[in-house]
Amino acid sequence: MGCWICCLCSRVADSLMLLLVLALSCNFSTAATASPSAPHIKPSYSFGRTFLGLDKCNACIGTSICKKFFKEEIRFDTWLSSHLKLPPSYLLSYSGNYTDDAKSWRLVDITRLTSKYRHDRADKRICTSLLKTKTCSLERALRRTHRFQKWLRAKRLTPDLVQGLSSPMLRCPSQRLLDRIVRRYAEVPDAGSIYMDHLTDRDKLRLLYTLSVNSHPILLQIFPDVEGWPFPRYLGSCGRLVVSASTRPLRDFYGAAPEVAADLALQLLTVLRSMGTNDLNYFFYFTHVDAGTFGVFSNGHLFIRDASMLGIIDKEEGSQLIDGQQEYKDIFSCLTVDCQSAFVSCNSIREKHSLVMVCQELLPKLLKGKFLQPVQEKIDSFLQHCADGLADDQGINEAVAKLAELLKPLRSCDSRFAYRYPDCKYSDKY
């Protein structure tokens, strides 16, 4: 009996061993013939420090929004593509998309303060003029300058620290304006102080560099849209790229319908009026305007898209620099402009300054041939009177006021103008 049980156990063991061998053989065969699954690779940008300009910091604008770029919460206009590629680095601006929750995206503008070609020229100028070499550490070179050494010792940003800088915003500076810059500089933790104690050496260099190259992002920070100023929202900077809310340039609307053209023209005149008269007693004026100076949001609201050519005169305090002091020049004066360019005298700026330029350059292209006679003839006449600039400020203001009255009834009230719809249905204001 014992022998029979032993024999039976032996046969069962052999059978189990055979089944195990067959199973292993089958699995091995299947594994050998099946194609390996391809690893899942998430499409991603290959951001380089050079594209962003981080390799040039701290001779850059800031780093407050860099995490958004590297986490792909800021993407360029191809963000839905399966093959995400960076656009060419030589472009001055890019259309992008921004998210806070990875679900909803909104359009943003990603811009350089000046072209990469001008940036590269300025970088070479810093090295050759300060260290007599073709390449160098930009930060080390700029730190050795007399101006920056004065910035390092300064407790407060004063007019003598910005004299000679090419930015129109700083040609006629007041202490009140400079205090506002320090108090609202968004690339550092908000201290709410007019003193620069909360700015590190790195912060001071970035602020000085930004003011020297292009004051556009500074204006967006110190006069924010949430307070009613006509500028797009500043979202942050990374290296030499600035991110702000997206607008379409005014040039895109030159062929717009008459009622759209009338609405934008009225908004343009309103913006210029607010730039001359506001609660803070700052007088804003343009040194140059073109089809990209103004932009339009998706809700039809018009804003100043490019503030780089915007000057400021403090009507409350006046300028703290006499015109002779503006002639001071150093490397910071010529990072993006010709060092020989002359400054406009603060005393030569008049109220009609910006109105005349807009009547010459923008409104004729926006309103030309849009309306029936005799309305079009009257519009052209008022524009010509404004553009000639021969009349005094009062005469030009009267011509612009008559133009505005003529344009008001030419607007329409519908969903295309979301910034004032449906309010326009129930208010005589519109």
Side-chain angles (χ1 to χ4, degrees):
M1 180 69 177
C3 182
W4 179 82
I5 292 175
C6 183
C7 182
L8 179 61
C9 290
S10 176
R11 288 183 181 180
V12 170
D14 291 344
S15 298
L16 288 174
M17 183 61 71
L18 178 62
L19 288 173
L20 180 61
V21 171
L22 288 173
L24 289 174
S25 176
C26 181
N27 286 339
F28 178 79
S29 176
T30 304
T33 56
S35 58
S37 59
H40 177 68
I41 300 176
K42 179 184 176 183
S44 177
Y45 286 121
S46 297
F47 270 118
R49 293 169 58 83
T50 302
F51 180 86
L52 295 170
L54 280 171
D55 59 325
K56 303 299 176 64
C57 281
N58 291 307
C60 63
I61 311 163
T63 56
S64 61
I65 210 165
C66 287
K67 286 184 179 178
K68 287 278 187 182
F69 276 105
F70 288 109
K71 289 168 66 178
E72 293 183 19
E73 293 175 346
I74 295 178
R75 294 184 175 182
F76 293 86
D77 57 4
T78 56
W79 73 274
L80 286 175
S81 170
S82 60
H83 302 288
L84 298 174
K85 294 180 180 179
L86 289 173
S89 60
Y90 58 79
L91 296 178
L92 191 58
S93 63
Y94 313 89
S95 176
N97 297 269
Y98 176 102
T99 186
D100 288 317
D101 55 14
K103 296 177 182 178
S104 58
W105 295 80
R106 52 193 167 111
L107 289 174
V108 292
D109 289 333
I110 305 169
T111 57
R112 301 183 186 278
L113 296 192
T114 188
S115 67
K116 190 174 185 303
Y117 169 73
R118 285 192 174 185
H119 265 313
D120 291 343
R121 280 186 60 189
D123 294 344
K124 289 179 181 178
R125 190 182 296 125
I126 291 170
C127 293
T128 54
S129 63
L130 297 180
L131 298 183
K132 311 302 180 186
T133 60
K134 291 184 178 180
T135 59
C136 68
S137 165
L138 300 178
E139 180 174 358
R140 189 178 302 119
L142 293 177
R143 275 177 168 271
R144 293 171 58 175
T145 60
H146 175 66
R147 187 192 294 268
F148 187 66
Q149 288 302 311
K150 286 179 65 177
W151 272 63
L152 289 179
R153 295 189 298 269
K155 292 291 185 181
R156 192 174 181 183
L157 185 59
T158 52
D160 63 296
L161 296 177
V162 298
Q163 64 176 318
L165 298 185
S166 62
S167 168
M169 183 183 76
L170 300 173
R171 290 182 186 176
C172 313
S174 69
Q175 187 59 58
R176 187 168 70 113
L177 176 65
L178 297 179
D179 287 344
R180 191 176 181 88
I181 291 174
V182 173
R183 197 169 62 246
R184 295 186 168 219
Y185 182 42
E187 288 297 313
V188 299
D190 181 18
S193 172
I194 62 174
Y195 297 102
M196 295 197 291
D197 297 334
H198 62 293
L199 270 64
T200 64
D201 295 357
R202 176 199 65 191
D203 298 328
K204 289 182 178 181
L205 180 56
R206 290 179 181 178
L207 177 57
L208 173 56
Y209 181 84
T210 306
L211 291 172
S212 302
V213 175
N214 188 327
S215 58
H216 171 76
I218 303 298
L219 272 159
L220 269 56
Q221 295 169 42
I222 66 177
F223 297 108
D225 66 310
V226 293
E227 295 180 4
W229 297 97
F231 300 107
R233 181 166 300 181
Y234 176 81
L235 298 173
S237 300
C238 184
R240 290 181 170 179
L241 292 179
V242 178
V243 183
S244 59
S246 177
T247 58
R248 289 176 60 193
L250 188 63
R251 70 171 67 90
D252 290 358
F253 296 87
Y254 283 165
E259 62 273 17
V260 175
D263 183 83
L264 292 176
L266 274 170
Q267 287 193 72
L268 188 50
L269 296 176
T270 300
V271 166
L272 293 182
R273 193 178 304 116
S274 69
M275 294 287 92
T277 306
N278 52 73
D279 293 341
L280 293 185
N281 267 336
Y282 288 116
F283 172 60
F284 297 76
Y285 66 93
F286 286 100
T287 58
H288 171 79
V289 295
D290 57 38
T293 302
F294 296 90
V296 183
F297 283 131
S298 58
N299 65 357
H301 206 171
L302 180 136
F303 276 62
I304 296 174
R305 189 172 189 257
D306 179 4
S308 61
M309 293 290 106
L310 205 58
I312 303 178
I313 294 177
D314 191 335
K315 294 196 291 185
E316 189 171 300
E317 284 191 4
S319 171
Q320 302 298 306
L321 285 180
I322 60 175
D323 289 335
Q325 290 177 293
Q326 292 179 332
E327 297 305 317
Y328 174 85
K329 299 284 178 68
D330 66 356
I331 189 65
F332 290 101
S333 308
C334 5
L335 288 182
T336 56
V337 297
D338 181 4
C339 279
Q340 306 305 315
S341 59
F343 290 120
V344 177
S345 169
C346 299
N347 297 325
S348 67
I349 307 300
R350 294 290 179 266
E351 186 179 341
K352 67 180 182 181
H353 191 87
S354 298
L355 277 173
V356 171
M357 284 194 292
V358 167
C359 288
Q360 289 174 341
E361 301 295 330
L362 303 182
L363 288 178
K365 297 172 183 176
L366 185 62
L367 299 174
K368 183 179 180 181
K370 289 286 170 66
F371 308 97
L372 299 175
Q373 300 298 354
V375 173
Q376 185 69 54
E377 185 178 352
K378 291 181 181 179
I379 290 174
D380 293 343
S381 176
F382 290 139
L383 283 178
Q384 188 61 52
H385 186 74
C386 171
D388 286 342
L390 301 177
D392 57 12
D393 290 356
Q394 185 62 32
I396 290 180
N397 286 334
E398 289 177 0
V400 169
K402 291 178 181 177
L403 174 62
E405 287 301 315
L406 197 60
L407 290 172
K408 279 183 181 179
L410 300 176
R411 299 181 299 173
S412 65
C413 180
D414 58 62
S415 58
R416 287 176 297 172
F417 312 100
Y419 79 96
R420 58 181 175 88
Y421 180 83
D423 295 347
C424 53
K425 277 189 173 184
Y426 311 105
S427 173
D428 296 334
K429 175 184 176 182
Y430 296 105

